[in-house]
Amino acid sequence: MERTNRLQDIRTLSRDELNDVVAELGQPAFRAKQLAEWLFAKNVSSFDEMTNVPKKLRDQLAERFCFNVPTEVAKQVSRDGSRKYLLEFSDGTSVETVGMPSRNKLSVCVSTQAGCAMGCAFCATGFNGLSRSLTAREIVDQVIHVANDFDERVTSVVFMGQGEPFANFDETVKALRILNDPDGMAIGARHLTVSTCGVIPGIRRFAELPEQFTLAISLHSAIQSTRNKLMPGIKKYTLPRLHEAIQQYVEKTGRRPSYEYAMIDGINDTNPEMEALISFCEGTLCHVNLIQLNDTPGSLMKPSPMKKVESLQKRLSIHGVETTIRNSRGNDIDAACGQLKQKHVNL
Ligand code: SF4
């Protein structure tokens, strides 16, 4: 075990590096192609699974490299079919990941950090602060774990689990590209969604990416004082600056961002809050996702009544703002938005 941890995870090699290793071992170039297929398209987790690779080469590779795959510490299955996993990496850090199946589709919600420094008032993850950021490989491994568990192809990934993706920008983008790689998992860029709580430099950098990845912004209030209370970690990026950055993103990319708005009883579902949201969105390219806040044990914040959610949807629609009411997935297993936190669960 000790030895395994000192070896490099073979899946962190680029295709060029893989070619170099194969050449160093005196093997023909086509072996590198075979290896790449096992590693990046078939997503195997051991050398033994590479059945068309000679045993001698597999043994040579095992001398130099390992597979550092996460361990499933626990899994819970929701009434709606969603599955929540607690996955542990080799240094003992653990994160939660959720798989959400629907007709012929499988969506995965990944974490980009273990814990989170943002401290949003309605979010269970923020309570314990940040442990560390994840590597691209650790983000991708969550998707592979879910694909293997369901034995299905993953059709979309949302970066909405633990952590603020733009506080871990480079590894997040690397993970997006691995997931999008046509010779790998080949998940379409538009089906890869990154959700930020509004880190403006991250939005600017995201706008520069050539791929059509999707951007979601956790808004939750368009009134500064409310937003400061709900999302204290993002205070310095004020709403007018955020609005401006999003409009620049739209101009640059032509892509439609979405706003996540978790409705909290008596806090962001009042008349002035609704009016502020309408004026933030009206006349701009955007899509609003309304969701009733999930009940987090111990939290004083409660979900808005459905009547209010429907009323806000109606008001936004009258002003020409496309709006969807989203169902919360997996809230009976604490897997819904704002409920992910590191804890061991009983099977
Ligand atoms: S809502 Fe997102 S950004 Fe806010 S504390 Fe939770 S994980 Fe972090």
Side-chain angles (χ1 to χ4, degrees):
M1 186 67 184
E2 206 180 292
R3 181 160 174 259
T4 300
N5 286 340
R6 281 206 310 270
L7 299 176
Q8 184 183 359
D9 186 336
I10 190 165
R11 301 164 314 145
T12 60
L13 296 181
S14 65
R15 280 164 210 266
D16 285 346
E17 287 167 334
L18 210 50
N19 291 339
D20 293 346
V21 169
V22 165
E24 269 171 43
L25 293 172
Q27 293 284 332
F30 76 88
R31 293 285 178 217
K33 211 166 162 240
Q34 285 178 325
L35 289 174
E37 202 183 334
W38 285 113
L39 295 171
F40 307 123
K42 295 184 175 151
N43 292 309
V44 294
S45 55
S46 73
F47 292 109
D48 290 342
E49 292 166 76
M50 301 176 171
T51 45
N52 61 356
V53 175
K55 174 92 171 71
K56 186 168 171 235
L57 175 57
R58 283 187 268 150
D59 289 344
Q60 285 173 317
L61 291 169
E63 285 287 309
R64 294 174 60 175
F65 300 100
C66 68
F67 285 84
N68 222 346
V69 291
T71 310
E72 183 181 290
V73 178
K75 175 168 80 176
Q76 282 183 303
V77 180
S78 162
R79 282 189 295 272
D80 66 19
S82 302
R83 299 179 194 171
K84 179 180 74 170
Y85 309 84
L86 183 64
L87 301 178
E88 188 175 282
F89 300 111
S90 57
D91 68 347
T93 301
S94 58
V95 295
E96 291 185 353
T97 306
V98 183
M100 297 163 287
S102 55
R103 250 172 296 145
N104 301 326
K105 289 187 179 153
L106 178 59
S107 183
V108 179
C109 177
V110 292
S111 296
T112 52
Q113 298 183 302
C116 185
M118 291 296 169
C120 298
F122 49 85
C123 172
T125 302
F127 290 167
N128 295 327
L130 175 70
S131 301
R132 72 167 170 87
S133 289
L134 302 187
T135 63
R137 196 67 243 171
E138 288 169 335
I139 299 169
V140 172
D141 274 348
Q142 297 171 60
V143 181
I144 294 171
H145 188 90
V146 177
N148 290 342
D149 192 51
F150 278 86
D151 196 17
E152 265 179 52
R153 183 175 177 271
V154 170
T155 49
S156 64
V157 179
V158 291
F159 288 54
M160 285 189 189
Q162 292 170 309
E164 162 52 55
F166 288 166
N168 186 20
F169 191 91
D170 292 343
E171 295 301 308
T172 293
V173 172
K174 261 194 233 167
L176 286 165
R177 289 187 167 145
I178 294 171
L179 296 169
N180 182 227
D181 181 352
D183 295 326
M185 295 181 83
I187 303 172
R190 285 161 191 254
H191 301 288
L192 296 168
T193 302
V194 177
S195 175
T196 175
C197 59
V199 176
I200 291 176
I203 295 172
R204 295 225 164 94
R205 290 178 69 190
F206 201 67
E208 299 296 327
L209 302 179
E211 297 93 344
Q212 305 258 301
F213 301 131
T214 300
L215 177 67
I217 294 120
S218 300
L219 192 59
H220 307 313
S221 176
I223 293 181
Q224 194 66 54
S225 54
T226 311
R227 199 164 193 265
N228 290 350
K229 280 186 205 129
L230 290 177
M231 306 171 78
I234 203 75
K235 251 199 245 180
K236 67 175 172 180
Y237 301 121
T238 59
L239 284 163
R241 288 179 61 204
L242 178 63
H243 194 269
E244 192 193 347
I246 295 168
Q247 296 330 303
Q248 284 168 356
Y249 167 87
V250 170
E251 265 169 45
K252 172 118 194 127
T253 64
R255 299 202 295 273
R256 184 183 70 171
S258 61
Y259 297 128
E260 308 299 313
Y261 199 94
M263 292 191 67
I264 311 170
D265 192 27
I267 293 184
N268 62 1
D269 63 355
T270 61
N271 194 42
E273 289 283 346
M274 290 192 189
E275 277 175 8
L277 179 63
I278 291 164
S279 95
F280 193 88
C281 300
E282 198 173 10
T284 69
L285 187 64
C286 69
H287 186 102
V288 176
N289 290 316
L290 300 176
I291 190 159
Q292 278 178 300
L293 180 80
N294 296 298
D295 240 338
T296 303
S299 171
L300 297 175
M301 295 186 190
K302 296 291 159 208
S304 299
M306 193 38 104
K307 247 174 43 193
K308 285 232 176 141
V309 182
E310 286 166 356
S311 145
L312 180 53
Q313 182 190 33
K314 210 165 150 199
R315 289 177 68 172
L316 283 161
S317 303
I318 289 169
H319 288 268
V321 181
E322 278 185 49
T323 309
T324 306
I325 298 176
R326 298 253 177 239
N327 292 327
S328 190
R329 299 289 308 264
N331 56 2
D332 56 319
I333 53 167
D334 291 348
C337 309
Q339 292 185 311
L340 292 181
K341 60 179 170 182
Q342 292 179 57
K343 65 175 183 186
H344 286 245
V345 289
N346 298 318
L347 291 170

